[in-house]
Amino acid sequence: MWIYEKKLQIPVRVSGPNPRLAKEVLTQYGGPEGELSASLRYLNMRYSMPTSRAKAVLTDIGTEELAHMEIVGTVVYKLLEGASIEAIKAAGLDGHYATHDSALFWSDPNGVPWTAAYVSATGDPVADLHENLAAEQKARAVYENLICLSDDPCVTDVLRYLREREVVHFQRFGETLMQVQECMSQKRFY
Amino acid sequence: MEATGMDNRRMAQMLLQIQQLEFTALELNLFLDTHPDDQQALAMFNKVHQDLMQCIRNYEQFCGPLLNFGFSPALQNTWKWAELPWPWELKY
Ligand SMILES: [Fe+2]
């Protein structure tokens, strides 16, 4: 069960229309290391975790990633708001516009649609938690790429916040991995 | 009815307080998931929970429901839930 809270996790402002930056940020909406992939990866992985604590971490981080998806969607929406057709063409977003107008869509900046193949689940808790550690590092790296690309200080602030969250998630997943390994290495007698 | 600029600012301000407290609660929540016996974190979490609930009650009085499905009361004489600006529409 999820309850909707009618607010973003943090305030999101943009300096003005910027379809080029919207196109780039879209990668964290529907790209491989994006927030849709992150939220679905963790929420899907809860079922096969061996400890209650690991299920809690996956539930809570998965839920926070849904909130990040909403932040990224808002950034893209606001950057496209009021953008002229000329600016959209100049940004190379005319392909997106032809199919979607200014609607959001689950794709990367090159229009490659989101696929469940971005998400892995082996059912092996150690392998799956390592997958999450890698995913957090990859998301951090992509946010750093986006920070390099951003020419809007308001958007840069949001990207810096989201980058920092990946660092915290990495930390919590690392602790979870150690706890799960400890639990699995304990001898059991039947 | 569209919210006026003044209302919008007040709303954004009240939301900011909620965002700050809820972020603190979320961060403590994640920390407690892997450190469940940390008494200091538990105490901080409970304190933040109280402050957060107070801020949400204030917001609900002034603006309208923050949460759906019965987690916020309908204190105004119209269904404000559908009327307040959506998070991606809020202008600062
Ligand atoms: Fe994350």
Side-chain angles (χ1 to χ4, degrees), chain A residues 35 38 42 61 65 68 136 165-166 169:
Chain A
E35 302 291 353
Y42 305 148
I61 295 183
E65 305 289 18
H68 294 170
E136 294 294 340
R165 296 311 296 153
E166 311 303 6
H169 295 168

Side-chain angles (χ1 to χ4, degrees), chain A residues 118-175:
Chain A
Y118 292 157
V119 177
S120 158
T122 66
D124 179 308
V126 172
D128 284 353
L129 285 168
H130 275 99
E131 157 88 6
N132 299 354
L133 289 168
E136 294 294 340
Q137 288 300 329
K138 288 187 276 183
R140 176 193 55 75
V142 171
Y143 279 119
E144 287 172 12
N145 298 343
L146 288 172
I147 289 165
C148 288
L149 289 164
S150 173
D151 54 3
D152 181 335
C154 295
V155 174
T156 304
D157 277 349
V158 175
L159 296 169
R160 286 166 61 93
Y161 169 82
L162 292 170
R163 176 201 172 278
E164 189 59 37
R165 296 311 296 153
E166 311 303 6
V167 176
V168 173
H169 295 168
F170 179 81
Q171 173 73 26
R172 299 283 96 90
F173 279 131
E175 292 158 357

Side-chain angles (χ1 to χ4, degrees), chain A residues 1-13 53 56-58 60-61 64 70 73-74 77-78 81 161 165 168-169 172-173 175-176 179, chain B residues 15-16 18-19 22-23 26-27 29-31 33-36 56 59 66-69 71 80-92:
Chain A
M1 179 83 207
W2 274 266
I3 306 300
Y4 187 66
E5 203 178 342
K6 198 167 172 179
K7 72 176 224 322
L8 296 178
Q9 193 183 25
I10 55 164
V12 170
R13 298 176 184 82
R53 282 192 205 173
V57 169
L58 285 163
D60 294 335
I61 295 183
E64 188 182 5
E70 192 181 31
T74 299
Y77 169 83
K78 287 196 171 192
E81 211 178 6
Y161 169 82
R165 296 311 296 153
V168 173
H169 295 168
R172 299 283 96 90
F173 279 131
E175 292 158 357
T176 305
Q179 291 171 358
Chain B
L15 280 176
L16 182 64
I18 294 172
Q19 284 162 329
E22 194 179 318
F23 177 76
L26 184 155
E27 193 60 333
N29 185 148
L30 295 186
F31 178 82
D33 283 347
T34 53
H35 305 76
I56 293 176
Y59 174 91
L66 181 68
L67 298 130
N68 59 2
F69 299 169
F71 280 83
K80 280 275 190 182
W81 171 257
E83 192 183 309
L84 293 172
W86 290 86
W88 56 94
E89 294 166 341
L90 199 61
K91 295 273 194 290
Y92 296 93

